[in-house]
Amino acid sequence: MSDNVGQIGDNPRGLANYYDTLLRDAFGNYRDLLRDVTLHPIMGVYLSHLRNEKSGPGRFPDENYAREVMQLFSIGLYELRPDGTLRLDGTGQPIPTYTNDDITEFAKIFTGLSFASPDGDFHQGREVWTEPMRMYPDYHEPGAKRLLRGRYVPPGQTGMQDVEDALDCLFEHPNVGPFVA
């Protein structure tokens, strides 16, 4: 459970807006829902990727959202067949959809996001709960990032391009259909 539940529970306007986001996207494209949930400040606080900073001396990106977006929101823990049954390896064991190294790489993707504050301050800006988080390039992990199934985020693109590429990678994974259904 998030350490920030009180901050969320004490924020009825943000919670209502998050609910409206879910309602708006409920019968639309799942990729849109995945993006809107990823960028919502309520989710950013709950799964600790709001104000998640790039690596630095003694600091590594928070891995909470990276893990949960794969485990709970998109591909699940194990590979599935289209009918939802587990795919097994040669020894009869379920095949993992991702590794701890994948979580570490995806955590780099979800850095640099904070409130869409009009004052543009990553750390202390005004908390705007009814708009998607915005990217603060100075706090986003630069460079190439390895995604799933042989895909990469190339170096030199914007932080939001990194986020979009990572969400595309998850959305296009063959596990999404059977896992979400």
Side-chain angles (χ1 to χ4, degrees):
M1 178 76 51
S2 172
D3 292 336
N4 302 312
V5 172
Q7 186 178 8
I8 293 170
D10 293 338
N11 190 332
R13 196 161 178 226
L15 282 172
N17 183 267
Y18 182 71
Y19 174 78
D20 289 345
T21 298
L22 296 177
L23 185 62
R24 181 186 67 239
D25 288 349
F27 298 106
N29 184 297
Y30 190 72
R31 171 61 172 78
D32 294 338
L33 175 63
L34 196 58
R35 181 182 195 277
D36 291 348
V37 166
T38 296
L39 296 179
H40 201 285
I42 288 291
M43 185 58 69
V45 168
Y46 187 70
L47 290 179
S48 58
H49 64 291
L50 185 139
R51 296 182 176 144
N52 187 18
E53 292 187 52
K54 66 184 176 183
S55 303
R59 183 182 64 238
F60 302 95
D62 186 288
E63 297 180 349
N64 198 23
Y65 189 72
R67 179 183 314 99
E68 301 302 340
V69 73
M70 289 188 278
Q71 181 178 340
L72 300 177
F73 302 158
S74 61
I75 62 174
L77 290 173
Y78 300 108
E79 290 186 15
L80 302 172
R81 292 187 180 92
D83 67 1
T85 59
L86 284 172
R87 294 179 54 99
L88 305 176
D89 65 16
T91 65
Q93 297 302 306
I95 302 167
T97 54
Y98 61 89
T99 67
N100 284 332
D101 289 341
D102 295 325
I103 294 169
T104 299
E105 286 294 298
F106 269 79
K108 296 174 188 177
I109 298 284
F110 301 111
T111 57
L113 294 168
S114 190
F115 290 105
S117 177
D119 55 18
D121 187 326
F122 180 82
H123 289 290
Q124 301 298 321
R126 185 168 63 88
E127 296 179 357
V128 179
W129 294 96
T130 57
E131 294 179 31
M133 292 185 287
R134 71 173 261 216
M135 180 61 66
Y136 291 78
D138 291 344
Y139 297 93
H140 180 70
E141 186 81 26
K145 296 156 190 87
R146 184 180 46 77
L147 300 175
L148 301 173
R149 307 178 77 225
R151 291 176 66 172
Y152 285 84
V153 167
Q157 62 181 26
T158 69
M160 281 311 298
Q161 287 172 311
D162 286 0
V163 170
E164 296 291 348
D165 285 354
L167 294 177
D168 284 344
C169 178
L170 292 173
F171 176 70
E172 294 165 3
H173 193 286
N175 245 42
V176 170
F179 180 73
V180 172

